[in-house]
Each structure stands twice: as structure tokens, then as C-alpha cells.
Amino acid sequence: MLKIGITGGIGSGKSTVCRVFSVLGIPVFEADLIAKKLMNTDDEIHKKLVSLFGAEVYLPDQTVDRKYLAGIVFNDPSLLAQLNAIVHPVVRKTFFDWCDKQKSPYIIHEAAILFESGFYKMMDKTIAVVTSENERIQRVMKRDKLTLELVKERINNQWSDEERIKLADFIINNNDNELIIPQIIEIDKKIRAYGKVW
Ligand code: ATP
């Protein structure tokens, strides 16, 4: 079974694209969402986060205090790397266990930092969802009720589209004047057709 990675900048439309693949019957592993859940439920992660960041990293209901954690790691790349080193291996194991249970010609692994983390190397092919910075800003401001400055800060913390385009096997253009469904159907056809020879 082929593993297809989907990535893209904040607000590019990764989740929207994945919903279409899902409608086509393709199982989607939402790595960022699963990582968030595992931080609340996995005992090993819990222990390591408390030892690295202190007990106050968990709220009284034992869910991660995401605001507190973001405040600590946002401007400290070394702590962010340590956080990732705790969470990513558990997410990866969960992903491969999940893959073993799927019965489809291919599966999708959706992650915002697929290229940055190096995990794209575990994928057979990758797709980058590309949308102009201006549209991404407008969409995220509307969706998350964030200020322009905060959205720009997040964009600046990620890779650029140029960097993603260089590594991606397929590009989906999700600007306002483009239709994503025909692009997705085309890619789906190619993956199904070439799957056996890759
Ligand atoms: P994030 O990385 O922040 O999770 P994402 O890449 O998964 O974002 P989505 O959540 O799919 O992006 O899309 C961002 C917002 O833009 C959502 O509110 C979505 O409904 C909207 N959106 C996505 N594609 C389009 C489009 N083609 N036209 C208009 N709005 C769109």
C-alpha cells in the first residue's frame, strides 16, 4: 500500500483537500490532530513532558496547556526540538500501526511539517497544497479569529511554498480562482495507475 504525504503552509487548505480524498474512499491520517490527542492520552509522553517542562504543562483536567507550552517553545528552537523528539516517535508508531490496518490502494498522511521533520522520506510520494500568502492570511484570520501579525508570525516559522514545491511530487493549487476537485481526481488517478510500478 502506497503512503502519500500531504503538506502545505498554515491555511493552505490541507484539511480541505484531505476531506476530498476521504470522500474518494482514501483513509487519511491527520498527524497534527493525532499528535495533539496523544499529548493528552499517552502515558510515556505525559511523563517526559512533565520532566522537561514541569507539572504545570498539564491543566487540572490532565490535558496539555497548549498556550503555556507554545509560550515556552515558540522562541526556543532547542526546546521545540526536544518536544518533537518526545512526541514524534509515538505519532510515527501510531501511524505505522494504523497503516497495517488499512485496506486501500493508498493512504494519506497529512502533516504541516512533513518536509521540515524529514518524515516525507517515509512516504512514497508527496503532495504540497499551495495557496498565495494573502489568501492564507485572510482565511486563517477568519477561521481562527487571529490578528494579521499573529498569522504572519506563524507563516514565518514555517517553510516557504518555494521550498515545499522543490520537494513535492504533486502540487495542488488552492487559490480562490482554482478548482481543487479536478486536480485531486487527476492525482488520485495517477497514484492508482502508477502505484504498482513505483
Ligand atoms: P492549518 O494548517 O492551519 O490546519 P489547513 O492547511 O488544514 O490549515 P484548511 O483548514 O483546510 O487549511 O483551510 C483553511 C481555511 O480556509 C478553512 O476555514 C477552510 O474552510 C478555508 N478554505 C480552504 N480552501 C478554500 C478555498 N478554496 N476557498 C475558500 N476557503 C477555503
Side-chain angles (χ1 to χ4, degrees):
M1 187 184 55
L2 292 168
K3 297 180 187 69
I4 309 296
I6 288 197
T7 191
I10 178 169
S12 57
K14 294 179 293 297
S15 307
T16 307
V17 164
C18 284
R19 274 201 290 279
V20 179
F21 275 105
S22 203
V23 169
L24 295 176
I26 302 304
V28 177
F29 184 87
E30 297 172 278
D32 302 330
L33 197 74
I34 304 280
K36 279 183 195 160
K37 280 190 187 155
L38 286 170
M39 285 166 80
N40 293 335
T41 56
D42 186 83
D43 289 340
E44 196 189 331
I45 294 179
H46 189 290
K47 248 190 267 161
K48 289 181 179 170
L49 289 188
V50 168
S51 116
L52 183 62
F53 298 109
E56 55 275 39
V57 74
Y58 281 95
L59 293 164
D61 68 359
Q62 294 309 303
T63 59
V64 165
D65 187 339
R66 302 199 64 82
K67 242 188 181 166
Y68 174 78
L69 189 58
I72 299 176
V73 300
F74 199 75
N75 289 313
D76 190 330
S78 145
L79 275 180
L80 178 61
Q82 290 180 71
L83 170 64
N84 287 338
I86 292 170
V87 178
H88 285 180
V90 185
V91 177
R92 284 169 190 202
K93 184 182 180 312
T94 307
F95 170 64
F96 288 115
D97 289 349
W98 174 87
C99 283
D100 287 343
K101 293 187 202 120
Q102 306 309 315
K103 291 182 180 63
S104 56
Y106 67 98
I107 58 89
I108 299 264
H109 180 283
E110 177 201 354
I113 57 163
L114 185 74
F115 290 133
E116 290 93 321
S117 69
F119 198 57
Y120 74 96
K121 291 176 190 152
M122 304 304 292
M123 300 292 123
D124 294 289
K125 293 283 166 185
T126 56
I127 302 171
V129 183
V130 172
T131 307
S132 77
E133 189 166 308
N134 187 40
E135 280 182 46
R136 289 162 57 199
I137 290 171
Q138 300 307 323
R139 289 176 191 172
V140 175
M141 282 176 69
K142 190 169 156 202
R143 185 192 63 187
D144 299 342
K145 312 274 175 286
L146 291 177
T147 62
L148 175 67
E149 288 67 33
L150 270 174
V151 180
K152 280 193 165 172
E153 208 172 75
R154 290 178 190 195
I155 287 178
N156 291 338
N157 265 333
Q158 298 182 326
W159 274 22
S160 67
D161 274 348
E162 288 68 32
E163 289 170 296
R164 290 187 200 97
I165 288 168
K166 267 190 218 152
L167 284 180
D169 296 297
F170 302 103
I171 307 293
I172 293 177
N173 186 325
N174 187 27
N175 284 314
D176 269 349
N177 56 348
E178 302 280 346
L179 294 175
I180 54 170
I181 292 177
Q183 300 178 66
I184 292 170
I185 289 175
E186 198 55 38
I187 293 172
D188 172 74
K189 260 197 233 158
K190 284 186 180 155
I191 295 171
R192 287 173 194 265
Y194 297 127
K196 291 177 192 110
V197 294
W198 279 346

